[in-house]
Amino acid sequence: MMKKLYYILFVFCSITTLFAQKKVSVKQANSLFDSRSYVKAAEAYEQLPQTKQNLQNLGDCYYYNFQMNNAIRAYGQLFFTFKDSVKKEVFFRYANALKGTKDYEKGDAIMSEYIGFEQNTTQFMKNVTRNTPNSFKLQMMSKNKTNGDFGISFYGDKVVFASARNVEKKAYGWNDRPYLDLFSAFVNSEGQLVKVEPFSDVINSKKHESNATFSADLKTIYFNRTGEKQVKVGNEKVAMVKIYKAELVNDKWANITMLPFSNDFYSVEHPFLTKDGKKLYFSSDMPGSLGSFDIYVVDVNEDGTYSQPRNLGETINTNQREQFPFLTDDGTLYFASDGHQGNGNLDIFMSLKISDTEFDKPLNLGSTINSEMDDFNFILDEKKNQGYFASNRTGDDNLYTFIKVENELQYLVEGEVRDMKSMQLLPGSIVKLFNEEGNLLEEIVVGKDGSFTFNTEPDKKYKIMAFKDFYIPAEATFDTSKKGKVYIDLQMKVESYYDAEDIINKKEDGTVLIDLENIYFDLDKWNIKPQAAQVLDVLIGILKKYPYMEIEIGSHTDSRASDMYNLRLSNKRAASALEYLVQNGVGRNRLRSVGYGETKPLIICPKNDCTEAEYAINRRCTFMILK
């Protein structure tokens, strides 16, 4: 009997092991991914070969569920093996995953490749935190950090928010958590949610409900609900998010209707109704959006109809996500974005109202409220200078209460860097601030909006310089007063060297050359002859006129001697020209000499059978601007 028992146990364990070792197929993993069942999809991809697509999907599964360390592991292997063929949008997610773990150095390096110019998150957030008009004191609103609370709104003396805390509800494949419901609660004196209860059985359904907003009399509610059916968009099957409206009739919610601009093929979400009830703001990825989600507004007409949705435009919206709009009574817009420069992932921004249809350039609210993870859903009680927002900085969505504190008086100087000729913004420019004695106080790399901001002190003199490769540095001086904020409309217009000088030209390959008369050397010689000196004197004039210009002197030979002989000779000739410039007052640190030998001929002759004129053309010196 004992032998028989051992045999049965052996067979059972073998069958269990075989079942556990059974590999899922790529088709099964992709099917889970396309249906956005990211938790199960990640488990499947972990068992599959590390192909480019498998690694990208695995990283995305973790990224979309805020598991940044796992996302970095997958994306890191993807970039190590397949970087040259990775889609550009994956650079964005990998960079934000790195920033989500506070690896700003590597995250900025990846993001810089994505956006095309240098980014320094640490310096940016330091500047913006110092210069923002307010700071924030935060308090988490629930002791349970795993409820998945977000989407908070004011509801009379209560708040309403979305949560996954209903554990009896069916799990959602995206994160393997319960479907979202709306809940109401009071906020006690310690900023904690108390007397939490489901909002309404009429509103809450078997689908997701979130992000409620109410009319001033609390008799109308707009809220989000996912669609009843999944539709195929690309390779994915998705139930889109829609906005619904309901009315309070005899103390019960009734007349639930879907808004006419909701659609089965795109999402409309995060509604916010203005206090006068005349405008409804929301976020959507509808056709015509600039990015994955943009902020829109519709007019709410007196007869209950709606205008066509209007995109808030490029000042607010980017090619990434703009979500969770909220407007104060004075029309200040608060929203979340991962497209405007910030800490990484979603940050909270504010934008002052300019007119009924325009908002000012968004301002990041700084690191007293924004973290390295997603921060969003900001709402504010202006009279109390306090409010609420959501963040997943602890690894799950949680609600926070904040008190807004006014910062001390700031003395700011602001401006933009533009090309003098085209007036185009020049992201990636370096702007430096100097005091009256010429000491460097601070420098920043401007973002894609071409703007810069420095904090200064009252009643002092300063100089600002703007630098950009292949441009003449621009500078301006200014005095600060006692008025607080200073705006210098310098525009910091920088002129390219090739616009300023006829003999400087930008070639088709992007190189910028100083076109001078060729300089000649005697056979097998490298000393500077009088004719060569005259040409180099012109170059000296240029370099003294533009003291920040740096150049490379390149020497080229024809192909009538050995490769090694030509390389050595060209190196000596380039070095000789460099020494002539140094002897005539040009700083050595601005110069580089390179001998190319016969490796870069202008004219390639078959079988090395050039004419004397062609050989002469190949024997030349070039003067390339490095910066």
mmCIF file of all heavy atoms in Angstrom, residues 509 511 513 552-559 563 566-567 570 592 594-605 614-622 624:
data_model
loop_
_atom_site.group_PDB
_atom_site.id
_atom_site.type_symbol
_atom_site.label_atom_id
_atom_site.label_comp_id
_atom_site.label_asym_id
_atom_site.label_seq_id
_atom_site.Cartn_x
_atom_site.Cartn_y
_atom_site.Cartn_z
ATOM 1 N N ASP A 509 24.614 68.220 -45.131
ATOM 2 C CA ASP A 509 24.757 67.202 -44.085
ATOM 3 C C ASP A 509 24.673 67.799 -42.685
ATOM 4 O O ASP A 509 24.865 67.094 -41.684
ATOM 5 C CB ASP A 509 26.073 66.430 -44.247
ATOM 6 C CG ASP A 509 27.300 67.337 -44.123
ATOM 7 O OD1 ASP A 509 27.129 68.560 -43.912
ATOM 8 O OD2 ASP A 509 28.430 66.822 -44.246
ATOM 9 N N THR A 511 26.652 70.117 -41.321
ATOM 10 C CA THR A 511 27.886 70.739 -40.848
ATOM 11 C C THR A 511 27.900 72.217 -41.228
ATOM 12 O O THR A 511 27.305 72.627 -42.230
ATOM 13 C CB THR A 511 29.129 70.045 -41.428
ATOM 14 O OG1 THR A 511 29.066 70.102 -42.868
ATOM 15 C CG2 THR A 511 29.188 68.592 -41.004
ATOM 16 N N LEU A 513 30.484 75.300 -42.070
ATOM 17 C CA LEU A 513 31.878 75.538 -42.465
ATOM 18 C C LEU A 513 32.126 77.022 -42.688
ATOM 19 O O LEU A 513 31.245 77.761 -43.149
ATOM 20 C CB LEU A 513 32.204 74.775 -43.749
ATOM 21 C CG LEU A 513 32.097 73.243 -43.711
ATOM 22 C CD1 LEU A 513 32.466 72.667 -45.074
ATOM 23 C CD2 LEU A 513 32.978 72.654 -42.627
ATOM 24 N N GLU A 552 37.028 73.253 -35.750
ATOM 25 C CA GLU A 552 37.955 72.168 -36.077
ATOM 26 C C GLU A 552 38.684 72.529 -37.357
ATOM 27 O O GLU A 552 38.056 72.890 -38.357
ATOM 28 C CB GLU A 552 37.201 70.853 -36.278
ATOM 29 C CG GLU A 552 38.107 69.711 -36.760
ATOM 30 C CD GLU A 552 37.311 68.547 -37.327
ATOM 31 O OE1 GLU A 552 36.752 67.794 -36.504
ATOM 32 O OE2 GLU A 552 37.258 68.407 -38.567
ATOM 33 N N ILE A 553 40.015 72.451 -37.326
ATOM 34 C CA ILE A 553 40.834 72.639 -38.522
ATOM 35 C C ILE A 553 41.123 71.262 -39.091
ATOM 36 O O ILE A 553 41.743 70.421 -38.425
ATOM 37 C CB ILE A 553 42.163 73.354 -38.190
ATOM 38 C CG1 ILE A 553 41.883 74.692 -37.498
ATOM 39 C CG2 ILE A 553 43.000 73.562 -39.449
ATOM 40 C CD1 ILE A 553 43.100 75.288 -36.837
ATOM 41 N N GLY A 554 40.647 71.014 -40.288
ATOM 42 C CA GLY A 554 40.868 69.720 -40.923
ATOM 43 C C GLY A 554 41.798 69.858 -42.118
ATOM 44 O O GLY A 554 41.631 70.750 -42.953
ATOM 45 N N SER A 555 42.794 68.999 -42.202
ATOM 46 C CA SER A 555 43.739 69.029 -43.328
ATOM 47 C C SER A 555 43.579 67.762 -44.163
ATOM 48 O O SER A 555 43.458 66.654 -43.608
ATOM 49 C CB SER A 555 45.177 69.139 -42.815
ATOM 50 O OG SER A 555 46.080 69.128 -43.887
ATOM 51 N N HIS A 556 43.552 67.923 -45.486
ATOM 52 C CA HIS A 556 43.332 66.817 -46.409
ATOM 53 C C HIS A 556 44.454 66.796 -47.447
ATOM 54 O O HIS A 556 44.916 67.848 -47.897
ATOM 55 C CB HIS A 556 41.983 66.962 -47.117
ATOM 56 C CG HIS A 556 40.819 67.091 -46.173
ATOM 57 N ND1 HIS A 556 39.994 66.046 -45.867
ATOM 58 C CD2 HIS A 556 40.353 68.160 -45.468
ATOM 59 C CE1 HIS A 556 39.048 66.454 -45.030
ATOM 60 N NE2 HIS A 556 39.266 67.756 -44.769
ATOM 61 N N THR A 557 44.841 65.613 -47.862
ATOM 62 C CA THR A 557 45.870 65.455 -48.899
ATOM 63 C C THR A 557 45.257 64.807 -50.135
ATOM 64 O O THR A 557 44.113 64.331 -50.104
ATOM 65 C CB THR A 557 47.026 64.570 -48.396
ATOM 66 O OG1 THR A 557 46.536 63.231 -48.223
ATOM 67 C CG2 THR A 557 47.591 65.080 -47.076
ATOM 68 N N ASP A 558 46.048 64.765 -51.208
ATOM 69 C CA ASP A 558 45.620 63.934 -52.334
ATOM 70 C C ASP A 558 46.066 62.507 -52.060
ATOM 71 O O ASP A 558 46.552 62.185 -50.980
ATOM 72 C CB ASP A 558 46.168 64.487 -53.657
ATOM 73 C CG ASP A 558 47.698 64.518 -53.689
ATOM 74 O OD1 ASP A 558 48.327 63.606 -53.113
ATOM 75 O OD2 ASP A 558 48.265 65.448 -54.297
ATOM 76 N N SER A 559 45.934 61.646 -53.041
ATOM 77 C CA SER A 559 46.141 60.211 -52.798
ATOM 78 C C SER A 559 47.403 59.662 -53.462
ATOM 79 O O SER A 559 47.496 58.478 -53.743
ATOM 80 C CB SER A 559 44.909 59.437 -53.303
ATOM 81 O OG SER A 559 44.677 59.723 -54.670
ATOM 82 N N ASP A 563 48.976 55.736 -47.538
ATOM 83 C CA ASP A 563 47.962 56.184 -46.576
ATOM 84 C C ASP A 563 48.602 56.747 -45.318
ATOM 85 O O ASP A 563 48.209 57.813 -44.823
ATOM 86 C CB ASP A 563 47.048 55.013 -46.190
ATOM 87 C CG ASP A 563 46.194 54.537 -47.353
ATOM 88 O OD1 ASP A 563 46.189 55.226 -48.393
ATOM 89 O OD2 ASP A 563 45.536 53.490 -47.215
ATOM 90 N N ASN A 566 50.334 60.171 -45.861
ATOM 91 C CA ASN A 566 49.371 61.251 -46.017
ATOM 92 C C ASN A 566 48.695 61.609 -44.691
ATOM 93 O O ASN A 566 48.425 62.785 -44.411
ATOM 94 C CB ASN A 566 48.315 60.869 -47.054
ATOM 95 C CG ASN A 566 48.854 60.938 -48.470
ATOM 96 O OD1 ASN A 566 49.743 61.730 -48.762
ATOM 97 N ND2 ASN A 566 48.319 60.100 -49.363
ATOM 98 N N LEU A 567 48.434 60.601 -43.875
ATOM 99 C CA LEU A 567 47.795 60.861 -42.585
ATOM 100 C C LEU A 567 48.727 61.664 -41.675
ATOM 101 O O LEU A 567 48.304 62.642 -41.043
ATOM 102 C CB LEU A 567 47.400 59.538 -41.918
ATOM 103 C CG LEU A 567 46.565 59.656 -40.637
ATOM 104 C CD1 LEU A 567 45.237 60.361 -40.924
ATOM 105 C CD2 LEU A 567 46.304 58.271 -40.034
ATOM 106 N N SER A 570 49.080 65.294 -43.038
ATOM 107 C CA SER A 570 47.890 66.122 -42.817
ATOM 108 C C SER A 570 47.751 66.493 -41.346
ATOM 109 O O SER A 570 47.319 67.611 -41.013
ATOM 110 C CB SER A 570 46.630 65.403 -43.322
ATOM 111 O OG SER A 570 46.403 64.205 -42.615
ATOM 112 N N ARG A 592 40.514 72.643 -32.446
ATOM 113 C CA ARG A 592 40.849 71.225 -32.572
ATOM 114 C C ARG A 592 41.409 71.009 -33.967
ATOM 115 O O ARG A 592 40.885 71.559 -34.947
ATOM 116 C CB ARG A 592 39.596 70.359 -32.381
ATOM 117 C CG ARG A 592 39.892 68.858 -32.385
ATOM 118 C CD ARG A 592 38.667 68.059 -32.038
ATOM 119 N NE ARG A 592 37.727 67.978 -33.154
ATOM 120 C CZ ARG A 592 36.553 67.370 -33.103
ATOM 121 N NH1 ARG A 592 36.140 66.825 -31.971
ATOM 122 N NH2 ARG A 592 35.763 67.323 -34.158
ATOM 123 N N VAL A 594 42.635 68.164 -36.899
ATOM 124 C CA VAL A 594 42.470 66.766 -37.325
ATOM 125 C C VAL A 594 43.087 66.611 -38.707
ATOM 126 O O VAL A 594 42.796 67.398 -39.623
ATOM 127 C CB VAL A 594 40.985 66.344 -37.387
ATOM 128 C CG1 VAL A 594 40.861 64.895 -37.842
ATOM 129 C CG2 VAL A 594 40.320 66.535 -36.040
ATOM 130 N N GLY A 595 43.936 65.620 -38.854
ATOM 131 C CA GLY A 595 44.463 65.280 -40.161
ATOM 132 C C GLY A 595 43.692 64.114 -40.742
ATOM 133 O O GLY A 595 43.629 63.035 -40.141
ATOM 134 N N TYR A 596 43.088 64.323 -41.904
ATOM 135 C CA TYR A 596 42.265 63.279 -42.517
ATOM 136 C C TYR A 596 43.016 62.504 -43.598
ATOM 137 O O TYR A 596 42.495 61.505 -44.118
ATOM 138 C CB TYR A 596 41.017 63.899 -43.129
ATOM 139 C CG TYR A 596 40.028 64.388 -42.090
ATOM 140 C CD1 TYR A 596 39.951 65.728 -41.764
ATOM 141 C CD2 TYR A 596 39.182 63.499 -41.437
ATOM 142 C CE1 TYR A 596 39.046 66.193 -40.808
ATOM 143 C CE2 TYR A 596 38.273 63.947 -40.486
ATOM 144 C CZ TYR A 596 38.222 65.291 -40.172
ATOM 145 O OH TYR A 596 37.330 65.739 -39.228
ATOM 146 N N GLY A 597 44.225 62.987 -43.938
ATOM 147 C CA GLY A 597 44.954 62.314 -45.005
ATOM 148 C C GLY A 597 44.160 62.326 -46.291
ATOM 149 O O GLY A 597 43.584 63.335 -46.684
ATOM 150 N N GLU A 598 44.085 61.163 -46.944
ATOM 151 C CA GLU A 598 43.361 61.060 -48.211
ATOM 152 C C GLU A 598 41.988 60.415 -48.042
ATOM 153 O O GLU A 598 41.364 59.997 -49.010
ATOM 154 C CB GLU A 598 44.187 60.226 -49.198
ATOM 155 C CG GLU A 598 44.455 58.794 -48.696
ATOM 156 C CD GLU A 598 45.370 58.011 -49.634
ATOM 157 O OE1 GLU A 598 46.575 58.264 -49.626
ATOM 158 O OE2 GLU A 598 44.823 57.168 -50.359
ATOM 159 N N THR A 599 41.487 60.359 -46.780
ATOM 160 C CA THR A 599 40.263 59.588 -46.496
ATOM 161 C C THR A 599 38.985 60.277 -46.934
ATOM 162 O O THR A 599 37.939 59.639 -47.044
ATOM 163 C CB THR A 599 40.166 59.283 -44.995
ATOM 164 O OG1 THR A 599 40.125 60.539 -44.265
ATOM 165 C CG2 THR A 599 41.349 58.457 -44.523
ATOM 166 N N LYS A 600 39.016 61.602 -47.166
ATOM 167 C CA LYS A 600 37.797 62.320 -47.520
ATOM 168 C C LYS A 600 38.010 63.190 -48.757
ATOM 169 O O LYS A 600 37.931 64.420 -48.698
ATOM 170 C CB LYS A 600 37.321 63.186 -46.351
ATOM 171 C CG LYS A 600 36.859 62.387 -45.144
ATOM 172 C CD LYS A 600 36.204 63.292 -44.112
ATOM 173 C CE LYS A 600 35.631 62.466 -42.974
ATOM 174 N NZ LYS A 600 34.913 63.306 -41.985
ATOM 175 N N PRO A 601 38.275 62.567 -49.903
ATOM 176 C CA PRO A 601 38.488 63.359 -51.120
ATOM 177 C C PRO A 601 37.192 63.992 -51.603
ATOM 178 O O PRO A 601 36.107 63.408 -51.480
ATOM 179 C CB PRO A 601 38.997 62.325 -52.119
ATOM 180 C CG PRO A 601 38.382 61.038 -51.659
ATOM 181 C CD PRO A 601 38.362 61.108 -50.165
ATOM 182 N N LEU A 602 37.298 65.184 -52.168
ATOM 183 C CA LEU A 602 36.137 65.802 -52.805
ATOM 184 C C LEU A 602 35.871 65.187 -54.163
ATOM 185 O O LEU A 602 34.722 65.101 -54.609
ATOM 186 C CB LEU A 602 36.354 67.312 -52.939
ATOM 187 C CG LEU A 602 36.370 68.114 -51.641
ATOM 188 C CD1 LEU A 602 36.638 69.587 -51.939
ATOM 189 C CD2 LEU A 602 35.061 67.959 -50.893
ATOM 190 N N ILE A 603 36.945 64.777 -54.831
ATOM 191 C CA ILE A 603 36.826 64.148 -56.146
ATOM 192 C C ILE A 603 37.450 62.756 -56.070
ATOM 193 O O ILE A 603 38.622 62.606 -55.699
ATOM 194 C CB ILE A 603 37.537 64.981 -57.232
ATOM 195 C CG1 ILE A 603 36.884 66.361 -57.335
ATOM 196 C CG2 ILE A 603 37.490 64.268 -58.578
ATOM 197 C CD1 ILE A 603 37.567 67.283 -58.319
ATOM 198 N N ILE A 604 36.661 61.764 -56.403
ATOM 199 C CA ILE A 604 37.152 60.382 -56.403
ATOM 200 C C ILE A 604 37.477 59.996 -57.846
ATOM 201 O O ILE A 604 36.605 60.017 -58.716
ATOM 202 C CB ILE A 604 36.107 59.420 -55.807
ATOM 203 C CG1 ILE A 604 35.788 59.842 -54.357
ATOM 204 C CG2 ILE A 604 36.594 57.984 -55.871
ATOM 205 C CD1 ILE A 604 34.665 59.037 -53.731
ATOM 206 N N CYS A 605 38.732 59.668 -58.075
ATOM 207 C CA CYS A 605 39.175 59.335 -59.430
ATOM 208 C C CYS A 605 39.315 57.826 -59.574
ATOM 209 O O CYS A 605 39.947 57.178 -58.735
ATOM 210 C CB CYS A 605 40.521 59.991 -59.732
ATOM 211 S SG CYS A 605 40.514 61.771 -59.465
ATOM 212 N N GLU A 614 42.450 68.161 -60.286
ATOM 213 C CA GLU A 614 41.653 67.384 -59.342
ATOM 214 C C GLU A 614 42.440 67.063 -58.083
ATOM 215 O O GLU A 614 41.911 67.115 -56.971
ATOM 216 C CB GLU A 614 41.166 66.096 -60.021
ATOM 217 C CG GLU A 614 40.112 66.365 -61.101
ATOM 218 C CD GLU A 614 39.802 65.126 -61.935
ATOM 219 O OE1 GLU A 614 40.687 64.250 -62.064
ATOM 220 O OE2 GLU A 614 38.674 65.048 -62.468
ATOM 221 N N TYR A 615 43.727 66.714 -58.255
ATOM 222 C CA TYR A 615 44.573 66.495 -57.079
ATOM 223 C C TYR A 615 44.620 67.761 -56.223
ATOM 224 O O TYR A 615 44.570 67.709 -54.981
ATOM 225 C CB TYR A 615 45.994 66.109 -57.493
ATOM 226 C CG TYR A 615 46.153 64.652 -57.899
ATOM 227 C CD1 TYR A 615 46.812 64.306 -59.086
ATOM 228 C CD2 TYR A 615 45.674 63.626 -57.089
ATOM 229 C CE1 TYR A 615 46.972 62.979 -59.464
ATOM 230 C CE2 TYR A 615 45.832 62.291 -57.456
ATOM 231 C CZ TYR A 615 46.478 61.973 -58.648
ATOM 232 O OH TYR A 615 46.640 60.658 -59.002
ATOM 233 N N ALA A 616 44.713 68.906 -56.843
ATOM 234 C CA ALA A 616 44.805 70.173 -56.123
ATOM 235 C C ALA A 616 43.541 70.442 -55.316
ATOM 236 O O ALA A 616 43.596 70.968 -54.196
ATOM 237 C CB ALA A 616 45.068 71.313 -57.091
ATOM 238 N N ILE A 617 42.390 70.088 -55.891
ATOM 239 C CA ILE A 617 41.118 70.289 -55.173
ATOM 240 C C ILE A 617 41.066 69.428 -53.923
ATOM 241 O O ILE A 617 40.576 69.860 -52.861
ATOM 242 C CB ILE A 617 39.928 69.981 -56.107
ATOM 243 C CG1 ILE A 617 39.835 71.059 -57.194
ATOM 244 C CG2 ILE A 617 38.621 69.880 -55.334
ATOM 245 C CD1 ILE A 617 38.824 70.753 -58.271
ATOM 246 N N ASN A 618 41.598 68.213 -53.999
ATOM 247 C CA ASN A 618 41.574 67.321 -52.841
ATOM 248 C C ASN A 618 42.546 67.767 -51.750
ATOM 249 O O ASN A 618 42.364 67.429 -50.585
ATOM 250 C CB ASN A 618 41.882 65.884 -53.269
ATOM 251 C CG ASN A 618 40.698 65.232 -53.970
ATOM 252 O OD1 ASN A 618 39.551 65.638 -53.780
ATOM 253 N ND2 ASN A 618 40.966 64.219 -54.799
ATOM 254 N N ARG A 619 43.618 68.513 -52.147
ATOM 255 C CA ARG A 619 44.556 69.041 -51.149
ATOM 256 C C ARG A 619 43.968 70.345 -50.610
ATOM 257 O O ARG A 619 43.963 71.364 -51.287
ATOM 258 C CB ARG A 619 45.918 69.320 -51.777
ATOM 259 C CG ARG A 619 46.655 68.092 -52.268
ATOM 260 C CD ARG A 619 48.111 68.421 -52.581
ATOM 261 N NE ARG A 619 48.264 69.498 -53.537
ATOM 262 C CZ ARG A 619 48.309 69.337 -54.867
ATOM 263 N NH1 ARG A 619 48.211 68.123 -55.386
ATOM 264 N NH2 ARG A 619 48.445 70.370 -55.676
ATOM 265 N N ARG A 620 43.476 70.310 -49.386
ATOM 266 C CA ARG A 620 42.751 71.466 -48.881
ATOM 267 C C ARG A 620 42.742 71.476 -47.359
ATOM 268 O O ARG A 620 43.042 70.460 -46.714
ATOM 269 C CB ARG A 620 41.303 71.448 -49.391
ATOM 270 C CG ARG A 620 40.482 70.304 -48.803
ATOM 271 C CD ARG A 620 39.216 70.019 -49.563
ATOM 272 N NE ARG A 620 38.346 69.072 -48.876
ATOM 273 C CZ ARG A 620 38.521 67.759 -48.888
ATOM 274 N NH1 ARG A 620 39.551 67.226 -49.555
ATOM 275 N NH2 ARG A 620 37.687 66.965 -48.233
ATOM 276 N N CYS A 621 42.364 72.606 -46.811
ATOM 277 C CA CYS A 621 42.085 72.742 -45.381
ATOM 278 C C CYS A 621 40.612 73.150 -45.219
ATOM 279 O O CYS A 621 40.093 73.946 -46.000
ATOM 280 C CB CYS A 621 42.980 73.796 -44.731
ATOM 281 S SG CYS A 621 44.581 73.147 -44.208
ATOM 282 N N THR A 622 39.971 72.582 -44.222
ATOM 283 C CA THR A 622 38.574 72.939 -43.934
ATOM 284 C C THR A 622 38.495 73.501 -42.520
ATOM 285 O O THR A 622 39.283 73.135 -41.638
ATOM 286 C CB THR A 622 37.650 71.715 -44.044
ATOM 287 O OG1 THR A 622 38.148 70.658 -43.197
ATOM 288 C CG2 THR A 622 37.577 71.217 -45.474
ATOM 289 N N MET A 624 35.639 73.850 -39.762
ATOM 290 C CA MET A 624 34.275 73.474 -39.383
ATOM 291 C C MET A 624 33.960 74.015 -37.992
ATOM 292 O O MET A 624 34.737 73.849 -37.054
ATOM 293 C CB MET A 624 34.121 71.952 -39.388
ATOM 294 C CG MET A 624 32.719 71.471 -39.038
ATOM 295 S SD MET A 624 32.501 69.696 -39.291
ATOM 296 C CE MET A 624 33.567 69.047 -37.998
#
